[in-house]
Amino acid sequence: MQFEHKISLARAFEAEGRPLHAIQIYQSILEEYPDEIETYIRIANLYEMTGNALPAIKLLRQFLEDKPENKDMRLFLGQLLLRNSKWEEAVEALSFILPQEEPVVSFFTGYANFMLEEYELAKISFLNFISIEKQSELVHEAYIYLAKIELKLKNYEEVLKFARKAEAMYSNFWELNKIYAETYYSLGMYAHAVQPVEKAIKLNPENPASYELAGKIYLKLGDYTKTEKNFLRYIESIEDASSDIYTKLAEACMKNNKAKDALAYYDIAIKLDPKNNAAIAGKNNASSIIDSSVASDV
């Protein structure tokens, strides 16, 4: 069967949504034409499409064993590994490419190390990327990651520095606004945190973490109605709210003269963490208020 005919047949199977048939044809092409790089990439993409990336990774590694100098294939493998959350393997695969030759390697390596919680290593890679690459849209995304890294490292002034650099492209990105809110909260600048956390919620109302942060901010500001509202929205959005959140919600209810609601939330907090002393003390206080109210009604 001629090369062109095999290619046409394989692509027809792809178009029909029959990836396994297409893979078989492409593999037969590789047997005759083992240097056809595009064929390797198509097979890898098809394997990934079927939800089985391991054969794709194996195939690309076999190729690189014979041609270790092929940067394009190594970069493609690195991205494949990143897409499949194989962070350490991605770092290793990309380490063979000099960032001066392919600046995006530093971005990918930074991202992989960020996901590995190797924040100092990630920081080095992202800083290296922005020092080399000036035009790419990824520069602003690198600033976002640098802000997130500094937030993890509790370097709050550095967070604000990188966040401001990201604003040119990401001012309406919910996560940048959440970064600002979390930073101001950590600095004790609670009033400053309100506008960005509300913007984060508006831009992405499906993200639970913004409601949790908003609840904490409003609790510090003494706006207990908004505290309740945000903590309840957070609890409704996830399956496993912490004992601490239920304790804070109960505290807001106490401040709003809702002792019975507070007691219920303290009970949940204690059930989740029997050693939660704040919840135990709060429960005793709520119980006393309820008992006093009942006694006064008799």
Side-chain angles (χ1 to χ4, degrees), residues 189-203:
M189 301 169 67
Y190 307 122
H192 283 75
V194 170
Q195 188 271 338
V197 80
E198 289 292 354
K199 188 173 181 180
I201 289 170
K202 183 178 179 181
L203 291 169

Side-chain angles (χ1 to χ4, degrees), residues 29-274:
I29 292 172
L30 281 186
E31 289 175 7
E32 294 182 53
Y33 307 94
D35 295 328
E36 280 293 319
I37 293 176
E38 178 66 22
T39 304
Y40 283 92
I41 291 173
R42 285 189 170 274
I43 292 173
N45 284 331
L46 286 166
Y47 271 125
E48 190 177 18
M49 187 189 305
T50 64
N52 187 12
L54 291 180
I57 293 168
K58 182 179 178 181
L59 178 70
L60 299 185
R61 281 183 171 151
Q62 287 172 344
F63 176 91
L64 287 169
E65 283 178 9
D66 296 330
K67 296 180 175 61
E69 76 291 343
N70 191 301
K71 289 187 296 185
D72 291 336
M73 188 64 83
R74 191 170 294 281
L75 193 60
F76 182 80
L77 172 60
Q79 292 176 82
L80 176 65
L81 292 165
L82 288 173
R83 287 197 300 273
N84 288 276
S85 303
K86 296 187 179 299
W87 315 121
E88 292 178 351
E89 294 176 44
V91 171
E92 194 274 334
L94 294 169
S95 68
F96 290 85
I97 305 174
L98 292 174
Q100 290 78 8
E101 298 175 352
E102 291 286 349
V104 75
V105 164
S106 287
F107 184 92
F108 291 150
T109 302
Y111 177 70
N113 278 314
F114 178 83
M115 297 305 293
L116 288 167
E117 300 183 3
E118 294 285 355
Y119 298 122
E120 292 291 356
L121 291 175
K123 181 177 175 179
I124 291 168
S125 291
F126 283 123
L127 287 172
N128 189 44
F129 174 70
I130 61 177
S131 72
I132 299 172
E133 184 61 79
K134 304 298 182 184
Q135 304 300 321
S136 171
E137 290 183 5
L138 288 176
V139 169
H140 291 89
E141 193 170 342
Y143 283 130
I144 292 279
Y145 278 108
L146 283 165
K148 290 165 76 170
I149 288 165
E150 298 293 9
L151 190 56
K152 294 286 187 182
L153 297 175
K154 300 183 179 181
N155 298 327
Y156 301 121
E157 294 302 326
E158 291 295 300
V159 176
L160 296 175
K161 181 183 80 173
F162 288 124
R164 287 172 187 135
K165 289 184 177 181
E167 273 196 64
M169 188 170 291
Y170 284 95
S171 61
N172 285 321
F173 178 43
W174 74 271
E175 194 168 16
L176 178 59
N177 285 278
K178 181 176 175 290
I179 288 168
Y180 272 122
E182 195 168 346
T183 304
Y184 288 133
Y185 175 81
S186 298
L187 288 169
M189 301 169 67
Y190 307 122
H192 283 75
V194 170
Q195 188 271 338
V197 80
E198 289 292 354
K199 188 173 181 180
I201 289 170
K202 183 178 179 181
L203 291 169
N204 184 7
E206 302 304 315
N207 183 264
S210 296
Y211 295 105
E212 178 189 19
L213 180 57
K216 291 178 179 179
I217 292 166
Y218 284 121
L219 182 61
K220 290 291 188 181
L221 289 170
D223 190 333
Y224 303 116
T225 299
K226 287 185 178 178
T227 301
E228 279 190 63
K229 173 188 170 186
N230 281 284
F231 278 144
L232 286 171
R233 182 66 186 270
Y234 171 68
I235 289 167
E236 289 166 1
S237 302
I238 66 169
E239 295 180 0
D240 53 352
S242 68
S243 176
D244 179 62
I245 292 299
Y246 278 105
T247 302
K248 286 180 167 60
L249 174 57
E251 182 183 337
C253 290
M254 288 292 288
K255 295 290 187 179
N256 274 337
N257 299 313
K258 299 178 179 178
K260 289 184 178 178
D261 288 346
L263 182 61
Y265 294 131
Y266 281 131
D267 277 334
I268 296 172
I270 293 166
K271 184 178 180 181
L272 291 170
D273 179 9

